[in-house]
Amino acid sequence: MDPISLEDLALLEVLQRIDQHVVLTDSESAIRQRMVDGGLILDGEDGLALTAAGIELCKSLQHRVAA
């Protein structure tokens, strides 16, 4: 298996922060919008939440890190 890239590690960190309901900073608004557009997160009344696709991607990235 190929080593995980720095970009994938950063994506995993953001996904985990969203799952833990940590508020993203203003500098992360572009990545937040890309994740909403990509169907990985929902931006609702209760804040950000992972979609089913976001959860699966998070699990996949965690498995790659563990390997």
Side-chain angles (χ1 to χ4, degrees):
M1 180 176 277
D2 294 330
I4 190 164
S5 69
L6 290 177
E7 291 84 10
D8 285 345
L9 284 174
L11 177 58
L12 175 59
E13 179 185 343
V14 173
L15 289 170
Q16 289 173 330
R17 289 175 49 210
I18 291 169
D19 189 46
Q20 296 167 359
H21 304 288
V22 174
V23 177
L24 298 181
T25 64
D26 289 338
S27 65
E28 296 169 314
S29 62
I31 187 72
R32 186 192 86 238
Q33 189 58 47
R34 287 179 60 197
M35 293 173 76
V36 168
D37 293 345
L40 297 175
I41 62 173
L42 296 172
D43 192 357
E45 294 176 5
D46 297 329
L48 300 175
L50 296 178
T51 63
I55 292 169
E56 290 302 315
L57 179 58
C58 190
K59 287 179 183 179
S60 174
L61 292 171
Q62 287 173 332
H63 287 287
R64 288 186 55 203
V65 168

